[in-house]
Amino acid sequence: MFEATTILAYKSDDYAVIGGDGQVTFGNAVLKGNATKIRTLHNGQVLAGFAGSTADAFNLFDMFEGFLQSRKGDLLKAVIEFSKAWRKDKVLRRLEAMMIVLNNEHIFILSGNGDVVEPEDGKIAAIGSGGNFAISAARALAKHADMDPKRLVEESLHIAADLCIYTNHNIKTLELKK
């Protein structure tokens, strides 16, 4: 499990949102409280977030962006090719990071082992130390509250921050609308 972050993504029929907190820790100390762990890729058509080593994550973002470009923005093809490369490369296999990538059609978790996981419901995914708290809150809010997707992500991350010591309330979000 990766400490020091929580990333949550939610996809509805016409809206995709990713959010993350800003806390970076080293051991038992907070190094930074306002880090940005989410970004847009491929001309703003794909959203991505990471948990784990920051340096490893930036390498993964850059590499994944290359796969997106070569696959002309086709997220499904890019994640499959990316996972193949991740599994084959001796250096990549040692990276300590996970990613969530999504667009208006798909949402995937990319693990540190080169695995590609599409959430069972195809709508909600979370990674990081507060991921289970955030996804639990998001599932409950999606089922019982009438909220727009951005607010659902923000509220779920705040709930995770209340429970996870590696997650803070400095929440940032990115969104795509159809």
Side-chain angles (χ1 to χ4, degrees):
M1 178 187 300
F2 296 108
E3 298 174 344
T5 200
T6 302
I7 304 295
L8 175 67
Y10 179 80
K11 186 182 77 58
S12 66
D13 292 335
D14 57 350
Y15 210 92
V17 181
I18 194 164
D21 75 306
Q23 186 161 298
V24 176
T25 59
F26 184 74
N28 62 356
V30 175
L31 290 180
K32 187 174 181 173
N34 64 347
T36 301
K37 303 170 193 173
I38 57 174
R39 67 163 58 165
T40 61
L41 302 174
H42 195 68
N43 303 315
Q45 298 174 6
V46 173
L47 304 175
F50 74 89
S53 164
T54 305
D56 289 350
F58 286 129
N59 286 331
L60 292 174
F61 275 148
D62 290 343
M63 185 178 170
F64 187 72
E65 178 100 59
F67 280 96
L68 272 173
Q69 296 293 343
S70 69
R71 302 304 181 269
K72 297 181 173 87
D74 186 320
L75 186 60
L76 180 59
K77 288 181 182 178
V79 297
I80 291 169
E81 291 304 313
F82 181 71
S83 71
K84 288 179 186 177
W86 198 336
R87 286 174 178 251
K88 290 178 185 176
D89 192 292
K90 290 179 183 179
V91 174
L92 286 178
R93 284 191 305 225
R94 294 187 187 147
L95 296 183
E96 296 181 8
M98 293 180 77
M99 293 174 56
I100 293 178
V101 294
L102 73 153
N103 60 14
N104 286 317
E105 288 78 39
H106 299 286
I107 182 171
F108 298 104
I109 297 171
L110 307 176
S111 82
N113 297 322
D115 298 317
V116 175
V117 178
E118 187 171 20
E120 188 173 329
D121 65 4
K123 293 183 176 202
I124 307 171
I127 57 174
S129 57
N132 287 336
F133 300 120
I135 200 165
S136 296
R139 286 178 179 163
L141 291 172
K143 186 174 183 178
H144 299 290
D146 185 23
M147 290 185 176
D148 70 83
K150 181 179 178 185
R151 183 164 174 240
L152 183 143
V153 167
E154 290 170 342
E155 291 299 323
S156 299
L157 287 168
H158 282 296
I159 291 168
D162 287 341
L163 300 169
C164 177
I165 62 171
Y166 297 107
T167 304
N168 70 13
H169 287 278
N170 189 348
I171 307 300
K172 296 178 183 172
T173 60
L174 297 169
E175 54 196 304
L176 296 174
K177 295 180 184 177
K178 274 191 178 176

